[in-house]
Amino acid sequence: MNMFIRYFNFRDFFKFISLAWTKTDHPHSKLNIKRIFNLVIFHILYLFNQLFLWLSFTLDEIFFSQYQRTKIKKPVFIIGFYRSGTTFLHRLLAKDKKFAFLRLWEILFAPSIFQRKAFKLIGNFLNSTIGKPFNIFIKKATRLFTGKNNIHQPKLEAPEEDQHLFIHIWSALGVWFDTSFVDEAEDYVQFDQKISKGDKDRIMEFYQMCIKRKLYFQNSENDDQAEGCYYLSKNPAATPKVKTLLDEFPDGKIIYLVRNPLEAIPSMVSLVDYVWNYYGESVEPYSGKDFVMKLAKNWYTYPLRVLSEYPKDRYIVIKFDDLVENADKVIEQVYQHFDFELDNRYAAILKKEAKKARKYQSKHEYSLKKVGLSREQIVSELGEVFERFNFSQSIGND
């Protein structure tokens, strides 16, 4: 209970409840039956999940307190504007056994050591008794809550954004952004500048606690990973907190992915529209475009300014097109830059994945005109980005 009081953001939680249930004149989301139904289901599930979570955290302190001595060495953080290839790079690096990472089921339902052990025990039992029907049920349940889309398809067993950990302390950008309360998301969009030191300390302390638990569990279980492995994270939402991450983890490494804004921005506007309509109903199509543009102007330039102030061995900047065309060569460059060993097993995997990446065709369809943006607007507002990376100004669909 003391941990819950220490880390949970009660102020924003009650603010969210007030806005979500009473704000009928919200500019982006109607308070209709669909939104009310989703709110009811969310709050019920959230309540039970939190009760189990914080009880499990308490049990960790009693039975697995050794986790506190776990060292987080050379963690790697993948950042960049949304729709810039961070998921692809994350899942590619996750195939190397030297990295530890969080899967979606761990992030949402088992951040604690006790929960992981309990879920592993239950999962092994169900797989041995029920087998395939159980796995099919899990996949269908995941699709029910994440939706069916061609943009980003979360899977419970797949590596995912660990920024969702902060939902458990109600201190995540997604809490506001995904539910279309963009005014309340402003502080998280400029995390380094606008979040108070006290809140930063609270959030980062919780984050370190969760990472140590993951590493401790993995090492104690010998979970098909090397002991003493490096933690791997990917979070577009961590882009505005790059300075906080570098200061919090003195030997941490940053991989900043950058994609042509003419492709990334309309893709993100399309994704936002899907998410807002999945959980509620937008007042007008693609009403999130202005906020996405505002976010892009900060996230494309701010990290570069911050990174330039740190030693070059702390970070590397990668262009999306280079990653897609030559994934194996780019990863080799990353490993060399950060002084990671590239073993023969992973090198062979890289070559296969690089070949698949060159052939991959996204099913996500979008265009500048459809989402209400113009080529001239994006080029004008992000001119320095186009110039710095020599991005084409004619790419993308009008």
Side-chain angles (χ1 to χ4, degrees):
M1 179 59 69
N2 288 337
M3 281 193 298
F4 176 63
I5 295 173
R6 180 175 182 176
Y7 294 118
F8 196 80
N9 189 340
F10 291 95
R11 179 196 61 216
D12 280 1
F13 178 71
F14 289 117
K15 183 179 182 180
F16 176 84
I17 291 177
S18 174
L19 290 173
W21 286 99
T22 64
K23 197 168 180 61
T24 57
D25 60 342
H26 192 279
H28 300 296
S29 182
K30 301 175 183 177
L31 185 60
N32 56 12
I33 296 299
K34 183 179 181 181
R35 181 170 140 195
I36 291 172
F37 174 78
N38 281 321
L39 284 170
V40 170
I41 296 298
F42 170 77
H43 285 305
I44 292 173
L45 293 177
Y46 188 76
L47 173 63
F48 283 102
N49 189 28
Q50 292 303 296
L51 287 173
F52 184 35
L53 168 66
W54 292 98
L55 172 61
S56 299
F57 275 152
T58 301
L59 293 174
D60 283 355
E61 300 299 325
I62 297 173
F63 296 107
F64 309 110
S65 60
Q66 306 96 313
Y67 86 86
Q68 298 173 14
R69 296 195 294 270
T70 302
K71 303 296 183 183
I72 306 172
K73 58 181 182 180
K74 292 179 70 171
V76 176
F77 303 97
I78 303 170
I79 66 170
F81 184 71
Y82 293 105
R83 315 301 301 149
S84 294
T86 55
T87 297
F88 170 60
L89 178 58
H90 188 213
R91 293 181 179 178
L92 184 59
L93 287 173
K95 294 180 182 294
D96 189 342
K97 291 186 178 182
K98 70 166 53 65
F99 290 114
F101 53 86
L102 289 173
R103 294 178 171 86
L104 183 58
W105 71 269
E106 294 177 286
I107 296 168
L108 296 181
F109 308 117
S112 78
I113 300 166
F114 178 83
Q115 286 173 308
R116 287 187 175 93
K117 289 184 177 291
F119 276 114
K120 186 173 183 179
L121 185 65
I122 295 169
N124 289 340
F125 172 76
L126 291 175
N127 276 323
S128 63
T129 55
I130 302 176
K132 190 175 180 179
F134 171 67
N135 293 324
I136 292 174
F137 168 76
I138 291 297
K139 290 180 180 179
K140 287 187 176 181
T142 305
R143 293 300 292 270
L144 175 65
F145 285 98
T146 59
K148 184 177 181 180
N149 67 82
N150 294 320
I151 309 173
H152 178 72
Q153 298 179 352
K155 298 178 181 178
L156 283 177
E157 72 279 7
E160 195 49 76
E161 299 177 14
D162 64 9
Q163 74 113 359
H164 299 312
L165 285 170
F166 302 123
I167 293 173
H168 299 300
I169 58 172
W170 213 259
S171 299
L173 170 63
V175 164
W176 303 110
F177 192 10
D178 293 350
T179 53
S180 74
F181 290 105
V182 294
D183 290 340
E184 287 70 28
E186 285 285 350
D187 286 354
Y188 292 98
V189 170
Q190 299 184 59
F191 186 95
D192 282 342
Q193 302 99 318
K194 291 193 174 183
I195 297 294
S196 70
K197 184 182 184 306
D199 279 339
K200 285 178 185 175
D201 291 343
R202 172 181 59 83
I203 292 168
M204 287 297 109
E205 186 177 326
F206 177 79
Y207 189 37
Q208 287 227 24
M209 183 180 77
C210 290
I211 296 174
K212 287 182 177 181
R213 281 175 159 88
K214 167 62 182 179
L215 293 174
Y216 174 85
F217 173 79
Q218 190 158 282
N219 293 338
S220 65
E221 296 285 321
N222 193 22
D223 190 23
D224 196 32
Q225 296 276 349
E227 186 173 349
C229 53
Y230 308 108
Y231 183 70
L232 174 68
S233 163
K234 85 97 180 179
N235 279 316
T239 305
K241 62 174 70 168
V242 59
K243 184 176 182 355
T244 301
L245 286 173
L246 287 168
D247 292 343
E248 183 74 16
F249 300 92
D251 61 347
K253 310 296 182 182
I254 298 289
I255 302 176
Y256 176 62
L257 266 171
V258 58
R259 184 183 185 185
N260 191 314
L262 289 173
E263 294 180 313
I265 291 175
S267 178
M268 182 55 187
V269 174
S270 177
L271 175 58
V272 169
D273 188 69
Y274 171 82
V275 172
W276 287 4
N277 279 287
Y278 183 75
Y279 293 109
E281 182 180 350
S282 292
V283 174
E284 60 181 42
Y286 306 106
S287 59
K289 61 181 180 296
D290 292 336
F291 184 75
V292 172
M293 279 299 302
K294 184 177 182 179
L295 185 151
K297 285 190 288 185
N298 183 48
W299 288 16
Y300 264 99
T301 57
Y302 173 71
L304 294 171
R305 293 198 302 271
V306 172
L307 291 173
S308 66
E309 299 172 358
Y310 287 82
K312 291 186 177 180
D313 64 349
R314 299 288 309 274
Y315 68 92
I316 189 170
V317 179
I318 297 173
K319 291 176 67 172
F320 170 81
D321 291 337
D322 293 339
L323 178 64
V324 172
E325 290 300 318
N326 297 288
D328 51 343
K329 302 299 181 185
V330 168
I331 298 301
E332 289 175 11
Q333 179 187 358
V334 170
Y335 274 47
Q336 184 177 13
H337 189 76
F338 291 149
D339 195 26
F340 288 132
E341 181 183 354
L342 181 62
D343 58 53
N344 293 332
R345 171 195 164 275
Y346 184 56
I349 292 175
L350 275 180
K351 290 190 180 298
K352 292 181 181 178
E353 294 298 324
K355 187 176 181 179
K356 287 197 298 186
R358 284 189 285 269
K359 294 180 179 180
Y360 176 76
Q361 292 291 327
S362 174
K363 296 178 182 179
H364 179 202
E365 297 180 359
Y366 56 88
S367 68
L368 290 167
K369 183 177 181 181
K370 183 178 179 180
V371 302
L373 295 171
S374 70
R375 185 183 306 276
E376 293 74 20
Q377 177 188 3
I378 294 176
V379 172
S380 173
E381 298 196 29
L382 290 165
E384 64 179 289
V385 176
F386 283 90
E387 183 178 352
R388 174 166 182 162
F389 294 100
N390 195 29
F391 283 138
S392 169
Q393 297 183 18
S394 60
I395 201 169
N397 299 316
D398 286 320

